[in-house]
């Protein structure tokens, strides 16, 4: 073989390794057949609206009317003209709109979960809601922020769908494919009345609330909502008036949810000026060794007044009555025992313990622990092939409980101001980032305890798995050496208690 | 920065510092000659490139990576060599509360082939190609950057080498290579890539192109060299602003290196240094290394290792 031939062959071999895209494809959500209609869904108990009939949806034109006939013709024309991308969009949004918008929210949470970079003078910049695209972007989607964002999204969807169901079964307009046999929908047909469109309701309740929560994303969210709405025409699932009524209703409910959110005291949760008083109040209660930031330079504590934010399933007096007992005193035998355990993990952990710490870390650049559980709920909903209103109910019960858990946990954290293990013993090294707030109780544990309690009630067949997940999430923080065992154990118990308030609501909301 | 570390580590281990019959230099072991090496390497940085922004991070401080690597090389023939290497690596930071990592990293094997050797009047020109494979040999965490000891990805590489040497010993070498990297398995099952949330524990690690230019002198007793090296990820995103690096990051580095090596009979010692001077998503690392070589000739044919 000649040298030039050998070199040529090598070159061919070299180029033969084509570059392939190694990015994994996200699991597909396929449209499914929703059998249960939940015809009484319009009577289920709402969160912010007084009931499913508080808002008015005007009566539609009769299906015998000329205008409806014209709408059917228009629908058929749009279906016929739909491109392959539009047909793909019809199936994308047709799987379960509630879950699609939670996916969007989780992605935004992950993208916006970034701690602001220190200024040259050692201070830290604060995200500005009025300049959301200037660095640092608003919001910093940390765990409390994300818990509230997911709760507001889920409750907007739920209240809007309860209202939609109320009018669907009042007006009972049949789906276009039931009125016209020649229409072959691109997604599974069902017997749900089509006016107002549940998808348009979801699209606009969700997008408007998310625009309030992520104001730098208005353009993106508007485009997503428009595509979601339009996709129902390409799918052959709604006529234009179904969609327009749904859009109007979704926006009305979003307005109400945003009005609630403007007065839930989140606006004052980052009141750094109040921290001095908060600390001196703790000193007056005998808490002299107080948490300080582990960041260099010292970073102002994360949302020190999040505990004042309005809760969903109980009031502030109940929260204070339920507040966990104080942690073991620093230097006490119980405290030292917990610290000793961490000294051990700091020196060596098994690979499995490290895996658990990493799996549940849910730190910056992720959808946070509430997002982790929101995703788990979405998987359970999809597995059970729930319809939209029942999906929204699960998401609302779960996420309201997780926001409540965040508020309860922040109350405990800033009441006791317990230093992190590495502050008490600097020799303790961690295998995950130390969050910028006090140790007791563990946020992961509280969120997870609440989530597992709610989801165990809604998916009893998964109870063992869910409770094990919560326990693992809780222990992950001990393996990571950022929490004492009592932070995690008390947090888990406290979270379960929060979850039980949500279960009480679930038992009486009319859906069981 | 972690990746940087790693990449830089590779650069220093296999190119600029260790210069004897490596996968990407212009030298070959003679038939039936066998060489083993033990190398200690220390690399550290306190500045890194977050994307293209060079910065210091008080919460990270100075990150150091140390390694002890065993490497062995055998001449099947004057034109065909096989090599293998495995490093033990440990990382640390002087200020961070995060645990450093340690462990055996990846086992690499290479085959180096010389299809062409042409003698001119007072010089020789050679062409060589190297194919390599590597695989993690311990269950280390590949995405705890910048403290991970590696990216926990399997690789395959192919490189071409042009080597021109004067009979007096002065030489110039140019090499370029492409490394394919498999996905790595993360302990997490969701991560951002280009601001898109991926629901998977399979993390794509960018493929890499690298190239080196070397000038040096070599004879039976002594070798010295200076080199310029460039590597770049062929895809990937930047480190998120003020966040930790991740295996999906596109890493680039340009560095200068030098080493000297001296033979005492069957033994040789080598000392080298390298400095990254520009980069992207990598640490601005400074590396020092020292190595001891042992040469051995199997009986029958007798040739000089060069």
């Amino acid at each position: 073989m000649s040298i030039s031939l050998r070199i040529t062959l090598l070159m061919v071999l070299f180029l033969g390794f084509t570059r392939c895209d190694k990015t994994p494809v996200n699991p597909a959500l396929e449209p499914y057949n929703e059998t249960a209609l939940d015809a009484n869904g319009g009577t289920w108990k709402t969160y912010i609206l007084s009931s499913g009939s508080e808002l008015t949806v005007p009566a539609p034109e009769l299906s015998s009317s000329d205008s409806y006939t014209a709408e059917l013709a228009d629908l058929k024309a749009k279906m016929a003209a739909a491109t392959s991308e539009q047909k793909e969009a019809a199936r994308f949004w047709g799987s379960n709109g509630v879950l699609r918008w939670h996916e969007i929210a989780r992605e935004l949470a992950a993208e916006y979960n970034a701690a602001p970079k220190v200024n040259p003078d050692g201070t830290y910049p604060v995200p500005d809601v009025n300049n959301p695209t200037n660095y640092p972007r608003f919001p910093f989607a940390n765990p409390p922020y994300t818990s509230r964002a997911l709760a507001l999204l889920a409750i907007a969807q739920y209240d809007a769908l309860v209202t939609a169901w109320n009018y669907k079964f009042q007006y009972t307009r049949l789906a276009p494919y039931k009125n016209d046999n020649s229409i072959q929908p691109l997604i599974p047909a069902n017997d749900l009345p089509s006016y107002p469109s549940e998808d348009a309701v979801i699209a606009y309740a969700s997008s408007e609330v998310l625009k309030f929560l992520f104001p730098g994303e208005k353009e993106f969210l508007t485009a997503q909502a428009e595509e979601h709405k339009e996709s129902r025409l390409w799918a052959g699932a709604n006529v234009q008036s179904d969609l327009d009524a749904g859009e109007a209703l979704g926006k009305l409910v979003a307005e109400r949810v945003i009005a609630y959110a403007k007065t839930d005291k989140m606006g004052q949760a980052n009141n750094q000026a109040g921290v001095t008083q908060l600390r001196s109040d703790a000193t007056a209660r005998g808490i002299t060794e107080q948490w300080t930031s582990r960041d260099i330079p010292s970073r102002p504590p994360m949302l020190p007044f999040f505990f004042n934010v309005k809760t969903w399933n109980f009031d502030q007096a109940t929260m204070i009555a339920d507040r966990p007992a104080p942690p073991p005193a620093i230097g006490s035998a119980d405290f030292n025992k917990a610290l000793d355990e961490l000294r051990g993990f700091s020196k060596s952990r098994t690979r499995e313990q490290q895996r658990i710490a990493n799996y549940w870390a849910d730190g910056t650049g992720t959808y946070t622990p509430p997002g982790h559980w929101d995703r788990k709920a979405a998987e359970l909903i999809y597995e059970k092939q729930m319809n939209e209103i029942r999906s929204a109910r699960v998401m609302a019960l779960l996420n309201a409980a997780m926001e409540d858990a965040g508020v309860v946990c922040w109350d405990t954290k800033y009441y006791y101001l317990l230093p992190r293990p590495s502050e008490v013993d600097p020799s303790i090294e961690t295998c995950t980032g130390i969050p910028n707030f006090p140790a007791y109780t563990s946020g992961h544990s509280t969120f997870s305890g609440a989530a597992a309690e709610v989801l165990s009630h809604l998916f009893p067949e998964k109870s063992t798995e869910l409770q094990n997940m919560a326990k693992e999430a809780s222990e992950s923080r001990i393996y990571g050496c950022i929490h004492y065992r009592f932070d995690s154990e008390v947090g888990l118990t406290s979270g379960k208690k929060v979850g039980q308030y949500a279960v009480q609501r679930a038992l009486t909301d009319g859906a069981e | 920065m972690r990746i940087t570390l790693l990449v830089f580590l590779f650069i220093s281990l296999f190119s600029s510092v260790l210069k004897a019959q490596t996968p990407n230099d212009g030298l070959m072991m003679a038939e039936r000659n066998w060489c083993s090496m033990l190398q200690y390497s220390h690399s550290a940085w306190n500045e890194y490139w977050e994307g293209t922004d060079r910065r210091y991070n008080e919460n990270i401080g100075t990150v150091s990576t140390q390694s002890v690597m065993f490497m062995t090389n055998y001449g099947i023939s004057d034109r065909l060599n096989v090599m293998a290497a495995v490093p033990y690596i440990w990382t640390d930071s002087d200020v961070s509360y995060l645990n450093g990592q340690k462990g055996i990293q990846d086992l690499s094997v290479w085959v180096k082939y010389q299809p062409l050797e042409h003698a001119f009047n007072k010089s020789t020109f050679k062409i060589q190609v190297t194919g390599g494979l590597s695989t993690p040999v311990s269950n280390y965490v590949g995405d705890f950057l910048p403290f991970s000891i590696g990216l926990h990805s399997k690789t395959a590489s192919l490189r071409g080498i042009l080597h021109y040497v004067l009979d007096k010993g002065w030489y110039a070498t140019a090499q370029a290579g492409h490394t394919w990297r498999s996905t790595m398995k993360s302990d997490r099952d969701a991560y951002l890539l280009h601001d898109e949330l991926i629901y998977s524990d399979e993390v794509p690690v960018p493929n890499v192109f690298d190239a080196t230019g070397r000038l040096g002198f070599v004879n039976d007793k002594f070798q010295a060299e200076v080199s310029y090296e460039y590597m770049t990820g062929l895809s990937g995103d930047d480190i998120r602003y003020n966040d930790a690096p991740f295996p999906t990051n596109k890493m680039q580095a340009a560095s200068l290196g030098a080493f000297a090596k001296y033979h005492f009979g069957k033994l040789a010692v080598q000392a080298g240094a390298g400095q990254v001077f520009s980069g992207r998503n990598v640490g601005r690392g400074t590396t020092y290394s020292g190595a001891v070589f042992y040469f051995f000739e199997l009986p029958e044919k007798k040739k000089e290792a060069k």
Side-chain angles (χ1 to χ4, degrees):
Chain A
M1 190 159 49
S2 75
I3 285 154
S4 61
L5 180 60
R6 279 189 238 174
I7 292 169
T8 310
L9 279 175
L10 283 164
M11 292 295 288
V12 169
L13 180 67
F14 189 86
L15 295 170
F17 284 86
T18 53
R19 254 192 74 200
C20 51
D21 187 6
K22 293 178 278 192
T23 307
V25 178
N26 281 344
L29 287 183
E30 290 295 331
Y32 52 79
N33 192 9
E34 296 161 4
T35 47
L37 292 186
D38 285 316
N40 74 339
T43 64
W44 293 358
K45 187 178 169 190
T46 45
Y47 286 81
I48 289 172
L49 301 179
S50 59
S51 75
S53 54
E54 184 192 332
L55 300 175
T56 304
V57 174
E61 299 288 335
L62 295 177
S63 53
S64 55
S65 67
D66 289 348
S67 68
Y68 188 78
T69 308
E71 285 197 297
L72 285 179
D74 177 60
L75 176 64
K76 286 192 266 191
K78 290 214 163 71
M79 285 184 78
T83 64
S84 58
E85 289 81 23
Q86 289 170 339
K87 288 176 183 171
E88 202 179 306
R91 290 187 63 79
F92 176 87
W93 292 104
S95 57
N96 184 327
V98 168
L99 303 188
R100 286 293 179 206
W101 282 95
H102 277 267
E103 273 180 3
I104 291 171
R106 290 196 299 269
E107 185 164 280
L108 290 176
E111 279 179 36
Y112 279 80
N113 186 0
K117 183 179 177 179
V118 67
N119 291 319
D121 66 358
T123 62
Y124 286 90
V126 181
D128 178 4
V129 67
N130 296 313
N131 293 295
T133 56
N134 287 2
Y135 189 81
R137 294 195 301 177
F138 180 91
F140 171 15
N142 50 44
Y145 192 91
T146 299
S147 74
R148 172 172 169 272
L150 292 172
L152 292 169
L153 168 68
I155 282 165
Q157 290 177 336
Y158 173 77
D159 276 13
L161 285 171
V162 170
T163 308
W165 248 248
N166 178 55
Y167 290 103
K168 276 173 179 292
F169 286 91
Q170 183 175 324
Y171 299 134
T172 61
R173 176 194 267 184
L174 295 178
Y177 45 78
K178 301 271 177 185
N179 279 319
D180 184 337
N181 287 336
S182 73
I183 295 172
Q184 295 292 318
L186 296 181
I187 55 177
N190 62 35
D191 294 326
L192 189 67
S194 69
Y195 180 97
S197 158
E198 68 277 16
D199 279 87
V201 162
I202 294 164
Y204 287 90
S206 303
S207 61
E208 292 298 312
V209 167
L210 288 177
K211 281 185 213 175
F212 169 76
L213 293 161
F214 296 93
E217 299 293 332
K218 284 180 179 160
E219 212 173 300
F220 164 73
L221 291 162
T222 300
Q224 294 289 302
E226 281 170 5
E227 185 186 89
H228 187 180
K229 184 186 174 192
E230 292 288 303
S231 76
R232 301 295 288 177
L233 296 170
W234 306 325
N238 284 112
V239 295
Q240 192 65 46
S241 56
D242 296 340
L243 296 169
D244 292 343
E247 176 179 341
L249 173 59
K251 284 179 171 171
L252 268 183
V253 174
E255 267 176 36
R256 295 290 301 274
V257 172
I258 291 166
Y260 172 96
K262 282 179 174 168
T263 59
D264 71 355
K265 297 195 179 164
M266 185 63 166
Q268 295 83 53
N270 196 36
N271 172 24
Q272 296 295 338
V275 172
T276 309
Q277 183 66 43
L278 193 146
R279 285 188 181 278
S280 60
D281 289 351
T283 306
R285 293 193 302 272
I287 298 169
T288 51
E289 283 186 69
Q290 296 181 1
W291 168 88
T292 59
S293 170
R294 295 295 84 205
D295 284 20
I296 308 169
S298 183
R299 186 187 287 273
M302 184 185 289
L303 302 180
F305 290 90
F306 186 69
F307 59 79
N308 277 333
V309 170
K310 202 170 161 190
T311 45
W312 296 101
N313 292 322
F314 46 81
D315 58 18
Q316 185 129 29
T318 309
M319 174 175 86
I320 290 168
D322 285 351
R323 181 185 291 143
I330 296 174
S332 68
D334 284 348
F335 184 89
N336 287 338
K337 189 181 157 205
L339 204 57
D340 270 342
E341 183 184 25
L342 300 182
R343 289 179 180 123
F345 287 132
S346 172
K347 283 198 189 74
S348 81
R349 0 178 135 70
T350 65
R351 185 65 184 81
E352 176 63 4
Q353 287 164 343
Q354 193 158 22
R355 183 198 69 76
I356 290 167
N358 293 340
Y359 178 73
W360 289 102
D362 295 332
T364 54
T366 75
Y367 42 47
T368 79
H372 200 138
W373 286 99
D374 183 87
R375 173 186 177 182
K376 179 65 183 173
E379 288 167 1
L380 295 172
I381 287 167
Y382 184 67
E383 205 176 299
K384 267 206 161 174
Q385 309 220 322
M386 287 181 170
N387 65 27
E388 286 82 0
I389 191 172
R390 207 157 269 277
S391 306
R393 174 175 176 265
V394 170
M395 287 307 209
L397 285 165
L398 169 69
N399 285 299
M402 287 199 291
E403 186 185 349
D404 284 356
V407 174
V408 161
C409 181
W410 252 241
D411 170 68
T412 313
K413 282 179 182 294
Y414 286 96
Y415 190 81
Y416 296 116
L417 289 167
L418 184 69
R420 293 275 172 178
S422 301
E423 185 172 359
V424 178
D425 180 353
S427 78
I428 293 176
E429 292 192 329
T430 71
C431 72
T432 192
I434 303 180
N436 193 45
F437 37 81
Y440 181 79
T441 53
S442 146
H444 273 56
S445 306
T446 316
F447 285 127
S448 299
E453 201 68 10
V454 174
L455 292 177
S456 292
H457 173 75
L458 298 169
F459 302 91
E461 70 283 7
K462 301 279 183 183
S463 172
T464 308
E465 178 196 342
L466 292 161
Q467 297 292 345
N468 286 342
M469 282 175 69
K471 187 159 183 286
E472 190 180 274
S474 174
E475 287 176 342
S476 76
R477 310 306 271 172
I478 305 169
Y479 301 145
C481 288
I482 61 171
H483 275 294
Y484 313 95
R485 183 167 289 277
F486 54 76
D487 293 344
S488 289
E489 288 178 352
V490 178
L492 197 60
T493 307
S494 164
K496 283 183 183 181
K497 176 120 191 164
V498 170
Q500 281 156 15
Y501 289 108
V503 171
Q504 280 312 307
R505 179 190 175 95
L507 289 168
T508 56
D509 68 0
E512 295 188 4
Chain B
M1 50 203 192
R2 338 149 154 210
I3 291 220
T4 302
L5 271 190
L6 274 197
V7 168
F8 183 60
L9 199 61
F10 276 116
I11 290 172
S12 50
L13 286 178
F14 298 133
S15 15
S16 38
V17 182
L18 192 198
K19 263 324 163 295
Q21 302 88 31
T22 64
N24 56 3
D25 66 13
L27 307 181
M28 297 291 289
M29 296 291 295
E31 182 172 322
R32 287 172 179 271
N33 276 32
W34 174 71
C35 164
S36 285
M37 177 208 75
L38 203 58
Q39 176 183 263
Y40 167 78
S41 170
H42 178 279
S43 180
W45 50 262
N46 59 17
E47 287 184 313
Y48 62 99
W49 286 274
E50 187 179 83
T52 53
D53 294 341
R54 184 170 146 184
R55 67 168 292 187
Y56 172 70
N57 187 333
E58 290 174 272
N59 292 287
I60 296 289
T62 299
V63 175
S64 63
T65 300
Q66 299 178 79
S67 72
V68 172
M69 183 174 76
F70 175 75
M71 184 167 181
T72 190
N73 183 354
Y74 178 69
I76 294 173
S77 78
D78 291 359
R79 287 185 154 194
L80 186 64
N81 288 185
V82 290
M83 288 163 254
V86 63
Y88 179 87
I89 299 177
W90 63 105
T91 63
D92 200 9
S93 152
D94 60 342
V95 298
S96 174
Y97 52 77
L98 290 169
N99 278 113
Q101 307 278 297
K102 58 179 186 255
I104 299 175
Q105 191 213 35
D106 302 340
L107 172 68
S108 301
V109 293
W110 297 270
V111 174
K112 189 173 179 182
Y113 179 60
Q114 181 170 291
L116 173 74
E117 175 169 0
H118 184 80
F120 295 100
N121 186 17
K122 289 180 174 174
S123 61
T124 308
F125 176 67
K126 299 173 181 180
I127 292 178
Q128 294 144 358
V129 290
T130 305
L133 295 170
S134 79
T135 185
V137 285
S138 71
N139 193 17
Y140 65 84
V141 180
D143 60 351
F144 188 58
L145 300 176
F147 296 105
S148 283
I149 61 167
L151 294 176
H152 215 269
S153 162
K154 294 183 174 111
T155 76
S157 62
L158 193 61
R159 63 186 65 252
I161 302 161
L162 306 176
H163 185 63
Y164 181 71
V165 56
L166 302 175
D167 292 350
K168 289 184 173 176
W170 296 97
Y171 67 84
T173 311
Q175 74 88 25
H178 184 104
T179 304
W180 292 266
R181 298 201 282 195
S182 72
T183 57
M184 60 88 64
K185 193 169 184 302
S186 174
D187 291 342
R188 304 158 48 169
D189 63 356
Y191 59 90
L192 285 172
L193 174 61
H194 292 295
D195 270 354
E196 190 185 332
L197 194 56
I198 309 292
Y199 287 89
S200 174
D201 58 1
E202 292 292 322
V203 178
V205 185
N207 297 337
V208 172
F209 169 82
D210 71 89
T212 316
R214 317 174 187 287
L215 292 173
F217 177 84
V218 62
N219 65 20
D220 289 350
K221 283 285 176 199
F222 180 72
Q223 185 186 2
E225 180 184 287
V226 292
S227 61
Y228 166 84
E229 313 207 1
Y230 174 76
M231 64 78 57
T232 182
L234 294 170
S235 60
D237 53 5
D238 284 328
I239 298 173
R240 278 162 43 81
Y241 197 69
N242 206 39
D243 206 344
F246 198 64
T248 56
N249 295 150
K250 178 187 183 114
M251 295 185 303
Q252 292 180 329
S255 57
L256 289 172
F259 76 88
K261 183 180 176 188
Y262 192 77
H263 290 256
F264 306 90
K266 288 184 172 184
L267 288 175
V269 294
Q270 175 177 298
Q275 174 67 50
V276 175
F277 61 87
S278 80
R280 177 173 180 159
N281 303 313
V282 296
R284 196 167 163 276
T286 305
T287 300
Y288 301 98
S289 70
V292 180
F293 298 79
Y294 179 74
F295 292 87
F296 183 76
E297 295 174 29
L298 297 182
E300 289 185 34
K301 294 189 184 178
K302 201 172 177 187
K303 295 193 181 182
E304 287 294 306
K306 194 174 183 185

